[in-house]
Amino acid sequence: MRSALLEVPLGSLPDCVHMTGYARDKAFAVSAVVRELFGESYEWYGLTLGEEARPEVITDIGLPRNAANLLQYTRLETGDLLAFQEELGAGRLINGWIHSHGDLQYHGFSPVDEANHRTVLEYVALRVRRPVVKREIRIEGLTVLEDTVWDPEQLKEGQVTVLTDGPARRARILETVYGSFCFAVVIGDGGWMQSRIVTKRRGILTGLTLYGNTEAPLEVLEPMRELTALERDNLRQEVQRKIRPAGSDPPEHLERL
């Protein structure tokens, strides 16, 4: 009877979305400015931001230049993340994305949103990667040889050969499984907010990759700092520059899209 494969926990990925009150209020402030400037509740998207020292907390909302903003659709491109990361100061990182469903009655994530989850996760994976488990690999035909006494013919045996610095009768191979995550948040004009955590686990030797996509509770952290009047003015200007409902661009710009 085969023994159970050995797994040793090394760490964990977040199971709750922690967000500062400042970040939450800023997200709803963007939606309010969009309605004020454009007269309708267009979908917009932004990036959730954290600190390298604690990437599991959303501390701010970043607004990249949106590719296009429609009433019921938004698409996130890898280029948005690349360009925005270059603007961030040292010690800050992207840890997810956020978007608005405006005044739509659909309170959840759409199939288009699912594709955006993966785009963000693949981009941020290396920045938030951490070891989560040491997992044994079962290899059929494992050969263990002494490093100084093996014969070339012996290398033909088995699928994997381990060379040791002394006699060994048995060996077990453990690989590190790294885990990565990103947050996905959707909000609505009615003040509702839903969140998910999207995860990726990958074995360093086998390359076995597992993705996860689960609803997660959202916890607003205290103390909460409100946006200042200057921050609200700057946000309004930023929305004016970066949110682009259909028809808001001049014809020559639309031809280049």
Side-chain angles (χ1 to χ4, degrees):
M1 181 176 178
R2 289 186 175 182
S3 60
L5 293 178
L6 178 63
E7 287 198 1
V8 181
L10 302 176
S12 61
L13 298 176
D15 57 8
C16 177
V17 180
H18 291 99
M19 174 184 285
T20 63
Y22 173 84
R24 180 196 61 183
D25 292 350
K26 187 174 181 179
F28 284 115
V30 172
S31 290
V33 174
V34 168
R35 293 194 303 272
E36 175 192 343
L37 291 177
F38 304 114
E40 292 187 79
S41 295
Y42 291 95
E43 288 198 25
W44 60 269
Y45 61 82
L47 301 171
T48 64
L49 308 178
E51 302 170 3
E52 290 181 353
R54 54 171 190 163
E56 64 281 353
V57 178
I58 298 173
T59 59
D60 199 357
I61 302 298
L63 193 63
R65 182 168 174 80
N66 284 202
N69 299 95
L70 307 176
L71 291 174
Q72 302 182 33
Y73 172 78
T74 188
R75 183 183 69 252
L76 188 61
E77 303 286 356
T78 301
D80 300 328
L81 288 85
L82 289 168
F84 197 86
Q85 183 66 51
E86 293 179 354
E87 300 176 9
L88 292 179
R92 305 182 72 201
L93 52 71
I94 298 167
N95 59 6
W97 78 295
I98 183 171
H99 74 292
S100 168
H101 276 185
D103 57 4
L104 296 177
Q105 296 304 306
Y106 186 64
H107 295 189
F109 293 91
S110 70
V112 174
D113 296 338
E114 300 291 342
N116 288 335
H117 296 343
R118 185 66 65 87
T119 297
V120 178
L121 176 62
E122 295 297 350
Y123 177 79
V124 306
L126 286 178
R127 294 179 180 271
V128 301
R129 190 179 76 163
R130 60 186 62 172
V132 293
V133 69
K134 208 79 171 184
R135 181 176 59 197
E136 183 178 2
I137 305 171
R138 177 161 284 154
I139 300 174
E140 299 294 340
L142 174 64
T143 303
V144 182
L145 303 173
E146 287 188 63
D147 191 20
T148 58
V149 298
W150 53 268
D151 184 278
E153 287 298 313
Q154 292 177 293
L155 296 182
K156 298 178 181 179
E157 301 174 4
Q159 298 178 2
V160 175
T161 300
V162 175
L163 301 179
T164 69
D165 61 357
R169 296 174 53 194
R170 181 171 175 269
R172 302 174 78 177
I173 296 177
L174 308 180
E175 71 169 345
T176 300
V177 177
Y178 286 95
S180 303
F181 68 91
C182 77
F183 300 123
V185 181
V186 59
I187 67 173
D189 288 355
W192 60 269
M193 178 177 285
Q194 292 188 10
S195 55
R196 283 187 180 180
I197 300 177
V198 188
T199 60
K200 175 182 179 180
R201 292 175 171 82
R202 181 179 177 83
I204 195 68
L205 295 179
T206 62
L208 177 64
T209 304
L210 298 176
Y211 291 93
N213 189 338
T214 58
E215 302 287 340
L218 187 145
E219 180 179 345
V220 179
L221 302 179
E222 302 282 355
M224 293 185 290
R225 179 176 78 81
E226 296 183 356
L227 277 74
T228 66
L230 178 59
E231 287 173 328
R232 290 184 181 277
D233 287 342
N234 290 338
L235 186 62
R236 190 177 191 279
Q237 296 176 29
E238 192 174 13
V239 169
Q240 204 160 20
R241 294 195 315 270
K242 296 180 178 179
I243 303 298
R244 293 152 48 202
S248 65
D249 287 304
E252 63 270 18
H253 176 77
L254 292 176
E255 290 175 0
R256 295 195 298 268
L257 291 180

